[in-house]
Amino acid sequence: MNTDSTAIDLEDLRTTIAEVLELDTEEVTDDARFVQDLGVDSLLALEMQIALEEQYGVHLTEADLGEATTLRATYDLVTRKVAAA
């Protein structure tokens, strides 16, 4: 598998998360914490999980969601999952 097919675009990920959270993309900074800074609750976390699974064709567990606390952490997680698929 070549790296181009597994590359995740950070800005596309930022846009997806911003759309789910109904925020401007500028608010979803690399290090903004989803729960503490952006007000993500369990329902929004589930919506984000579904959107990411559909967009990137990966399966995310509850433990994965616990790890994905910022855009940067989510990017790293999704990149690993896509590469492993």
Side-chain angles (χ1 to χ4, degrees), residues 17 29-34 67-75:
I17 291 173
T29 63
D30 289 0
D31 298 316
R33 298 167 298 173
F34 294 141
E67 177 185 331
T69 57
T70 65
L71 176 67
R72 179 58 64 184
T74 303
Y75 174 82

Side-chain angles (χ1 to χ4, degrees), residues 26-67:
E26 299 81 28
E27 294 179 78
V28 184
T29 63
D30 289 0
D31 298 316
R33 298 167 298 173
F34 294 141
V35 174
Q36 295 89 339
D37 300 328
L38 301 178
V40 172
D41 60 17
S42 58
L43 181 58
L44 282 173
L46 179 60
E47 289 180 31
M48 199 164 58
Q49 175 186 359
I50 292 167
L52 295 174
E53 287 179 340
E54 288 178 357
Q55 181 166 346
Y56 297 106
V58 296
H59 174 70
L60 301 173
T61 65
E62 190 173 324
D64 292 332
L65 293 181
E67 177 185 331

